[in-house]
Amino acid sequence: MHLCGKPRVGAFDTRASGSRQAAANYRPAACAPQKWNGAMTPTLQIFLIVSAALFCIGLLAALSRRHAIFILIGIEMMLAAANLNFIAFWRFSPGPHQPTGVMVAIFSIAISAAEAAVGLALVIAVYRHYRTTNVDQFDQLKG
């Protein structure tokens, strides 16, 4: 028998164990039927809805705020939504597959960390000059 009770050639030698019935009834606890108790199983649609909501919140934050820090936070939220899409499409793709979605998401996280560092450095430099992070007052960026 296979681990979850599926027949497999040569899995148990019932002559050596002495009990044919014990070998036939063996099922590990990992093969027990799962009970979800009404909880939702994660599907691709749920991940896409969460990702779309996260992207919309990030877009709203990036477009409606006046402070540079909040705009950077909105951009980071949009990048997190894109990473969630990469992972979701990788997870629910048919057939055997390489972990390309995970690799792209990790690469994207590294890029977003560099983007956040450069963005914060620019915000600090502009704040030292203008004493504000309001992007409406950044219209005269001269040396």
Side-chain angles (χ1 to χ4, degrees), residues 1-2 17 21 24 29 34 65 75-76 107 110 120 122 131:
M1 287 280 183
H2 185 268
S17 66
Q21 186 66 19
Q34 299 291 325
R65 300 294 178 167
I75 292 170
E76 292 295 325
F107 185 73
L120 286 174
L122 286 173
R131 295 290 179 210

Side-chain angles (χ1 to χ4, degrees), residues 4 27-37:
C4 290
R27 281 185 85 110
C31 297
Q34 299 291 325
K35 294 184 181 180
W36 292 99
N37 297 329

Side-chain angles (χ1 to χ4, degrees), residues 63-129:
L63 294 179
S64 67
R65 300 294 178 167
R66 296 291 175 219
H67 293 284
I69 301 294
F70 291 126
I71 292 172
L72 287 174
I73 290 172
I75 292 170
E76 292 295 325
M77 288 177 70
M78 290 188 288
L79 286 170
N83 289 338
L84 183 61
N85 273 336
F86 286 135
I87 298 295
F89 281 117
W90 167 75
R91 167 63 179 87
F92 291 102
S93 65
H97 46 275
Q98 299 293 325
T100 54
V102 176
M103 289 187 292
V104 170
I106 289 173
F107 185 73
S108 175
I109 289 169
I111 296 293
S112 66
E115 174 262 333
V118 170
L120 286 174
L122 286 173
V123 168
I124 289 171
V126 169
Y127 178 77
R128 286 180 182 166
H129 186 344

Side-chain angles (χ1 to χ4, degrees), residues 5-6 30 42 59-60 104 112:
K6 297 177 184 172
L59 185 65
L60 181 68
V104 170
S112 66

